[in-house]
Amino acid sequence: MANLKCLGWSPPPPGFFKLNTDGSVVEWSNKAACGGVIKDHWGKFIEGFSARVCSTSPLQTELQGLLYGLQMAKRIGGRDYW
């Protein structure tokens, strides 16, 4: 049996928000999407998004998710991000 390691979310310092984004491409179908969440230091959901994107590159899809996430963070404003 393979060794399994449980990965978890690590919170930002108190007073900060944390932005996490991800992107995924199904290369054989030319479908791609990205998503992201903003949480506070307690892990409370603040805002999120998901979107289909026009991309066949995993890197481009990840970067599109980051761009959408940063735009969302700017729209919320007024907080420090980790």
Side-chain angles (χ1 to χ4, degrees):
M1 179 177 254
N3 290 332
L4 299 177
K5 184 176 181 180
C6 183
L7 300 176
W9 179 82
S10 56
F16 283 76
F17 282 164
K18 186 172 185 180
L19 168 66
N20 292 103
T21 62
D22 196 16
S24 181
V25 176
V26 180
E27 294 184 52
W28 54 266
S29 70
N30 292 328
K31 293 183 179 181
C34 59
V37 296
I38 293 176
K39 294 182 179 181
D40 66 10
H41 69 279
W42 295 107
K44 179 183 171 197
F45 176 84
I46 303 299
E47 184 100 14
F49 75 93
S50 64
R52 288 186 179 176
V53 293
C54 194
S55 171
T56 57
S57 159
L59 177 59
Q60 183 180 1
T61 305
E62 293 278 354
L63 291 173
Q64 189 70 51
L66 179 58
L67 176 62
Y68 288 166
L70 291 172
Q71 290 170 338
M72 180 176 63
K74 182 179 179 184
R75 190 175 61 250
I76 292 171
R79 298 293 294 208
D80 291 323
Y81 286 84
W82 182 256

